[in-house]
Amino acid sequence: MSEKLYAQLIATVGADFVSPIADTSGNFAAALASDFYRVVPRTPAEVAEVMTLCARHRVPVHPEGSGRRPSPHSRDRDRVFVSTRRLDQIVQLDETSLLVHAQAGVTGTRLQEILAPRHLTLGDYPPAVLAPSLGGIIAVRTPGKSSARHGFFEDAVVGVSAVLADGRTVHTRVAPRRATGPDLLRALCGSEGTIGFITSAVVRIHRQPEARFASAYVVPSIEAAIAAVYLALREEAAPSGIRIYDLAETAAHFRGMPIVDQVAGKSKNGALMVVGTAGPTDLAACDRDLVASAVSAEGGETADDDAATLWWRRLHHGESTPAAPPTFQAMATPRKLAATYHAVLNAASAAGGAARAHISRFDADGAVAFFSVEREGKPLPADATAPHDVALIELCKRAATDAGGWLPGSRAARLDPYFAALRANLDPLGIMNPGALPE
Amino acid sequence: MAMPVVDADLLAKELYSLLGPKRVSIGDTDRDTYARDMWPRMLLARRAGQPEKHRPTAIVWPEDVSEVVAIVKLALRLRVPIIPYGGGSGVCGGVVPLYGGITIDTKRMQALRSVHNDELICDVEAGLGGERFERELARRGFTFGHFPSSIYCSTVGGWLATRAAGQLSTKYGKVEDRVAGLTVVTGRGEVIETDGPNRALRGPNWTQLIVGSEGTLGIITSARLRVAPAPQITIYRGYEVDNVNDGIAAIRRVLQRGLRPAVIRLYDELDTLINSFSHKTEDDNVREDQRVHELHRHAPQPTRATGALPTWPTPPPAPDGVLDRLRLFAKNRVGNLRKDAMLSGLGHAATFNRLADAVSSKVTKRGCRLIIGLEGSRIRTEVEAALTFAELEAAGARDMGEQPGLSWLSHRYAVSYRMSPMFRDGAFVDTMEVASRWDNLPELYQAVRTAISRHAVVMAHFSHAYADGCSIYFTFAATAPADNLPAAERLYDAIWQDGLAAATRVGGTISHHHGVGLLKAAHMANEHREAMAIYRATKASLDPAGIMNPGKMGLEAHIADASIPVRSQTPTDAPARFPLDEAKP
């Protein structure tokens, strides 16, 4: 990095907040020798100034949220990683309109902690969805950032502030809905920092529910469970969470509990379905009853609540589960969900392994299936390295996509030229997170 | 700006070769017809006998996406504008061909191709009319839940192009909330499909970048839309609150408790007063039904039995006998008196507004009318209705029973049909729909109302409510004699200028669901400020030559010269459906 840019970055954010990533000693000579820098601005104005400087020096800028690491990038160019860590302010909490304006570095989890004493919440999103920084949640699309009760997280975003490649700051205006052209903030959401560096966002929030219920059901098959879910959703039930476990997954997650035998006793393809409902007490109870009715229509029956209560504690209160984390996940539309599930199980079995799954994050578009692939009874981690394990996982993933499922990170190739043109128009120097999304 | 000069005969010849002579017109009648939509400012000019200022060079009626591709490619080659045209029911001048060009009427693309029961998705062509769309869905046991007052004269594509809202949007959402994917012919003459489980896809949400673009990025030729099961029950009720602010608070309580009525509308004092003339007792209502039936016999009149869908009324019998003739004579006399009173009132708008305020709030003490309706599956809707009514009563609203709600339901399409008599009688009427978050909604109401009331008689209702805010729908009327068009246009422009400036000043949006077109184009920069850079970049991406509906939406009108390359894609080179085409990591 040029000495001049380094000095300008320090003048902008302070010496304590510009550091070479490979060398944190603060040694100036070492810093100049490094080509990766982390800059930690305190304000959106500092972000804008950093962007302007980087544009002037034609140095690529990579947003860095709570989890971003620079490793994937080649070291053939100077790069500046702009961390949102110090963009950690709640700008405004509007309890009248139920909106919160928070800076990009605030994690969803932290936001929940701030909202909770006020009996407010971001919504019934899985904790894993809310763990990253707000900027990261919005900028990166992964499947399942949704809740049957509160919809997709990105739809809760009603305004963003972002810095463009040339240092201009844009603020998309906040309104409950509008008819004034395209929804411009949708160019920034999901574009992984390639269109603009998100510095803050206005997000819808909700009042905490008056009541919560958790229920468990034993269902004859995965197909019956999926059918019951969509039957209930068609009847307008709005659960706060639904999960379906196949028999093997039930055994892995609820080892030693009577529910395992109940599912096994239902049928050899039996499944466990756990459902949470929330809201005004009457409505939450109504939703619970609608789900129970749908399950009954599909041949299932109500089970003891213990499994459901445990599932909810694990999901929202951090209680540990005995099962290892899943190997991979795939999303499928309602019509392709069962086929995707069976394709993966069959592929694993044919290759001498095994697979099990739970399915959750249901919404109108479909759901996410979390597969655990096993070899010789041992679940494989997502980052397995042994060639035969990698091959087995890839086989299962291919089976999922062949059956109509989608893996995280899929993209619309046909729209690539349009996206490239959009980027080129806003970032002619190509400094905004190069390497992310197709270029 | 300079636009390429188009030889109409040459253009027609080229278009004939694509579509044949029957689906291409360069005739004057068609060119006049397609020169405008229902923008009241243009209706004033029409009433004054002015010829249309901007007419399309040609009008075409393609029947499938490949024909649209061919037309756009031709337009690219000749560098002529393309103006998409649906039902022509817009009220902002969005289809006015400012620089001539080819107007593409989409109404011959009108198939409801499929309804997927298990995924609650339908695949529908853009030119299908709203009423037929709903009837086709109803026949299969579904609803799209989108019931704009223009349902008889608007198309699915028009809804999507303008981010329209239906009267039941509080439950079903605006049209952008119900779109899963689009097929679009871009300004490059290519077909793109934006479907896919969006939240699993990386990159921007192209569907939401194209919805609302009013033909400036491409032509929507079909869409995958989310449908809902047809409602099993509907429950309607009327309430009364002391004033607008109490009503706003009551609606907010309902929405923020997580309850979703299909419709919730709060009328301000003047609107309530005027409504009260037609919503009284059960007997009054029967008489009123008869009167409205006669006065607005061309307006659709739904009944409770037909649910949300309107039915065409049977025409009343012709006058027969002395009594009928006497009744007609008396009605005409009364009508003339009413007309004179109306014009007198509208001619002194500021005084009338003040007087109306006093009458409605101090004399009649009627407060404000609130209409609420719920529909959906029987069990959940009944539970939700009970909770909703309890919430309203806890907020101080007084239950007026079922009748006001049913009365609104049966007359809800009639309002649009009341406009023509106003124009005929020397006045004009228009509507301005703005929106904001709850915390400054009262301020928005006061600011816009004050701005308009200097020029016109104004009333408002609050509808399209969300947990975070609400839309306000102002209706205003003023005198505008047909023999002084410049004065009428100055008055009209002043109302909009002041009203929209007031909305922006207090943080509201300039449009909730009517769109922008020409009417609000000059306000787009103020609405979006720096973010217009993203719109311009999106335009440059999808329509680099600038041929798509130029001069609208506050975008610069500039058609690039032929050096902009057009990538080859033959009409038969329609893409495979999106899911087959994705790249996966």
Side-chain angles (χ1 to χ4, degrees), chain A residues 96-97 141 152 155 173 178-180 182 207 210 234-236 287 335 365 409-410 412 414 418, chain B residues 116-117 119 171 186 190 199 201-202 209 226 256-257 377 380 439 511 527-529 541 578 581:
Chain A
T96 304
S97 310
R141 270 205 194 134
F152 294 100
D155 291 340
R173 304 287 150 160
R178 59 181 0 122
T180 56
R207 300 203 191 285
E210 297 160 21
R234 279 179 60 115
E235 293 186 342
E236 303 187 329
D287 285 341
R335 203 186 306 177
D365 272 0
S410 302
R414 190 164 199 101
Y418 292 92
Chain B
H116 299 298
N117 184 27
E119 300 196 353
K171 176 184 174 74
T186 69
E190 299 170 341
R199 281 74 181 180
L201 289 176
R202 296 169 71 188
L209 279 174
R226 299 183 201 287
Q256 293 187 347
R257 202 171 172 212
S377 65
R380 201 175 196 278
D439 72 334
S511 179
E527 170 87 1
H528 292 294
R529 311 282 172 91
S541 161
F578 186 80
D581 188 47

Side-chain angles (χ1 to χ4, degrees), chain A residues 141 143 152 154 331-334 336 363-366 404-407 410-413 415, chain B residues 119 121 179-183 192-208 223-226 576-584:
Chain A
R141 270 205 194 134
F152 294 100
E154 71 178 60
M331 182 177 179
T333 58
K336 302 282 177 64
D363 53 50
D365 272 0
W406 296 66
L407 300 177
S410 302
R411 61 184 172 77
L415 294 169
Chain B
E119 300 196 353
I121 293 270
V179 54
L182 302 171
T183 301
I192 59 171
E193 297 197 354
T194 65
D195 303 55
N198 262 334
R199 281 74 181 180
L201 289 176
R202 296 169 71 188
N205 185 333
W206 287 96
T207 301
Q208 293 299 332
R224 268 64 60 200
L225 304 177
R226 299 183 201 287
R577 286 300 300 274
F578 186 80
L580 302 176
D581 188 47
E582 81 284 6
K584 298 188 178 184

Side-chain angles (χ1 to χ4, degrees), chain A residues 92 94-99 141-146 149 152 154-155 158 164 168-192 195 202 204-207 210 230 233-238 279-283 286-287 290 331 333-336 364-365 401-402 404-419 421-422 425-426 435-437, chain B residues 116-120 142 162-163 171 174 176-177 186 188 190-193 196-206 208-209 211-214 217 226 229 252 256-259 375-377 379-381 383-384 387 435-439 466-470 507 509-516 524 527-535 537-538 540-542 553 567 569 573 575 578-579 581-585:
Chain A
Q92 188 195 17
D94 175 358
E95 295 191 50
T96 304
S97 310
L98 292 186
L99 295 170
R141 270 205 194 134
T142 50
K145 289 182 181 175
S146 67
R149 182 158 172 255
F152 294 100
E154 71 178 60
D155 291 340
V158 294
L164 302 182
R168 273 181 297 174
T169 300
V170 299
H171 308 277
T172 66
R173 304 287 150 160
V174 175
R177 295 288 191 284
R178 59 181 0 122
T180 56
D183 188 351
L184 299 175
L185 77 84
R186 301 302 156 201
L188 295 158
C189 295
S191 55
E192 302 187 15
I195 300 295
V202 181
R204 292 192 183 100
I205 54 177
H206 310 270
R207 300 203 191 285
E210 297 160 21
Y230 284 101
L233 294 183
R234 279 179 60 115
E235 293 186 342
E236 303 187 329
T281 307
D282 289 357
L283 215 48
C286 176
D287 285 341
L290 285 170
M331 182 177 179
T333 58
R335 203 186 306 177
K336 302 282 177 64
D365 272 0
T401 55
D402 288 348
W406 296 66
L407 300 177
S410 302
R411 61 184 172 77
R414 190 164 199 101
L415 294 169
D416 284 353
Y418 292 92
F419 186 54
L422 177 61
N425 279 305
L426 289 167
L437 296 174
Chain B
H116 299 298
N117 184 27
D118 48 353
E119 300 196 353
L120 292 179
F142 299 99
T162 56
R163 292 183 171 262
K171 176 184 174 74
K174 286 183 70 195
E176 66 262 32
D177 299 318
T186 69
R188 299 187 194 199
E190 299 170 341
V191 182
I192 59 171
E193 297 197 354
N198 262 334
R199 281 74 181 180
L201 289 176
R202 296 169 71 188
N205 185 333
W206 287 96
Q208 293 299 332
L209 279 174
V211 170
S213 59
E214 301 190 22
L217 305 178
R226 299 183 201 287
R252 185 166 68 85
Q256 293 187 347
R257 202 171 172 212
L259 303 166
E375 67 172 45
S377 65
I379 296 169
R380 201 175 196 278
T381 302
V383 172
E384 199 160 17
L387 288 165
S436 86
R437 45 208 271 180
W438 289 111
D439 72 334
Y466 311 89
D468 55 333
C470 189
T509 179
I510 58 171
S511 179
H512 175 265
H513 59 272
H514 284 176
V516 175
M524 281 288 278
E527 170 87 1
H528 292 294
R529 311 282 172 91
E530 317 79 11
M532 278 298 282
I534 297 174
Y535 192 3
T538 309
S541 161
L542 287 153
M553 308 289 285
R567 293 188 299 150
Q569 184 186 35
D573 188 21
F578 186 80
D581 188 47
E582 81 284 6
K584 298 188 178 184

